[in-house]
Amino acid sequence: MGLTGIQIFKLLPKTNCKECGVPTCLAFAMNLAAGKAELSACPYVSEEARAILSEAAAPPIRPLAIGSGENVVKIGGETVLFRHEKTFVNKPGLAILISDAMPETEINGRLKRFKELKYERVGLTLRPEMVAVKNESGDSEKFVALIKKVKAETDAVLILMSDKVEALTAGVKASADRVPLIYAATNGNAEVLANLAKEYKCSLAIKADNLENLSQISERLTAAGLKDLVLDSGSRTLRKAFEDQVFIRRAALLQRNRSLGFPTITFPCEMTKDPMKEALIAATFVAKYAGIIVLSDLQGESLFPLLVERLNIYTDPQRPMMMQQGIYPIGNPTEDSPVLVTTNFSLTYFIVSGEIESSRVPSWLLVMDTEGLSVLTAWAAGKFVGDAIGAFIKKSGITEKVKHRKVVIPGAVAAVSGDLEEELGSGWEVKIGPREAAHIPAYLKMGV
Ligand code: SF4
């Protein structure tokens, strides 16, 4: 259990200096206990108190990273029950299951789909990140051979699954450079696997029979010095697994139950044989509250909606999705190609760039930082007005790429042009583009 607000309050300076942004030390203590404040906001906490309070200030669900180098899946770190309260932090890792008892063709098919099913959306690459390699054969050598194959053919973050310590030990040795997740510690092998996880600095999953058992094993592993744990309550029906997810999240956040304060792993692949039902179960766990979701196979028609759901739920609702400010060439533009200017709201960018692409007129698209606001909203907020756009165009570097001095601004209001022309100076020609982005292709084809 973490500290209560009153316990935290007793460790604070009690000067009510307000420098932490709240009127009293008591209010700060309550916020800290609820995970709504950072300890660093108070500059006057003693070192001794800081050491004690850092425990209380830690996120109620421990953040951890699985993998190495650029291929890391971060999970946990959550502080709220509902996304609208603040934001969800680390999206769940999506894994495909591969077993050493599967026929070679099935293994190759699943790995192929894992590598190929990637989607570009709002400037991001959406894809599954993990492969769960399962030792069903009972043969350590077959298990290690499969791990090596997955490593050689993919950049996947690995989950190693076996009920044999010997196989897991061999598997971890063969993939130590990928820092895999070890699955799973049980009543019988918890201490042995704790040593393995510590030796190779890996995260360790716990598989229990129920929540009480899960909490007990978690306490044993924590006492053994392990910090990076992943929880599996063992439930394999949607209803029970869903209840467990909610219980674990509530216990960690509301009761500060430290033994359940870890991200979870779920197995829709073991809950149904129907691919559509499996996708629906996975979708449930994207929303509540899985850290890792293991799927039996990947198909575009079910994976893409899951990836988009995950993107939407794990996007901070208080921050619009944005593109980076800069010059985006579309379709190999030349020094004679049209130049268009728009804002960095992701949706605006994708509508405008999509229309340019379908026009088949190679163009330069300048994206201006308007803090993620769309064209008219940014104009109304004074962020996409003539003089600001003019200053952006001049420093963007586009004049080194084109020999003409014409710009088009799709969807803006006419009032932008006067100030823009004045800011750019003589020799420039400004056209306010058609209101509807769908008209851009025809407009570009007419010549600008
Ligand atoms: Fe109290 Fe520290 Fe906040 Fe000052 S900054 S009111 S001492 S908690």
Side-chain angles (χ1 to χ4, degrees), residues 12 73 86 107 116 128 160 242 255 274 332 336 413-414 428:
L12 293 178
V73 170
K86 193 173 179 187
I107 291 171
E116 289 180 353
L160 307 187
F242 177 76
Q255 297 161 18
D274 179 337
N332 298 319
D336 296 316
V413 293
W428 283 83

Side-chain angles (χ1 to χ4, degrees), residues 252-263:
L253 264 62
L254 303 182
Q255 297 161 18
R256 303 292 282 185
N257 183 325
R258 287 297 189 201
S259 65
L260 295 178
F262 299 97

Side-chain angles (χ1 to χ4, degrees), residues 100 102 106 143 151 168-169 185 214 306 338 340 366 398 405 412 430 432 444:
D100 61 5
M102 280 177 184
E106 180 66 24
F143 186 46
K151 272 183 65 183
L168 284 173
T169 305
L214 187 64
L306 274 181
L340 299 96
L366 303 192
I398 191 65
R405 293 294 179 261
V430 175
I432 301 302
L444 288 174

Side-chain angles (χ1 to χ4, degrees), residues 70-71 94 110-131 153-157 298-308 310:
E70 291 184 358
N71 293 325
L94 290 179
R110 291 191 184 198
L111 288 180
K112 183 168 182 284
R113 289 186 282 282
F114 175 83
K115 287 184 284 187
E116 289 180 353
L117 291 173
K118 298 178 182 176
Y119 307 90
E120 296 294 326
R121 194 175 167 100
V122 289
L124 301 169
T125 302
L126 309 185
R127 56 166 293 192
E129 305 86 3
M130 309 182 86
V131 172
E153 294 185 17
T154 74
D155 60 357
V157 175
L298 302 174
Q299 299 297 338
E301 65 271 22
S302 53
L303 178 65
F304 181 68
L306 274 181
L307 291 167
V308 173
R310 185 178 71 164

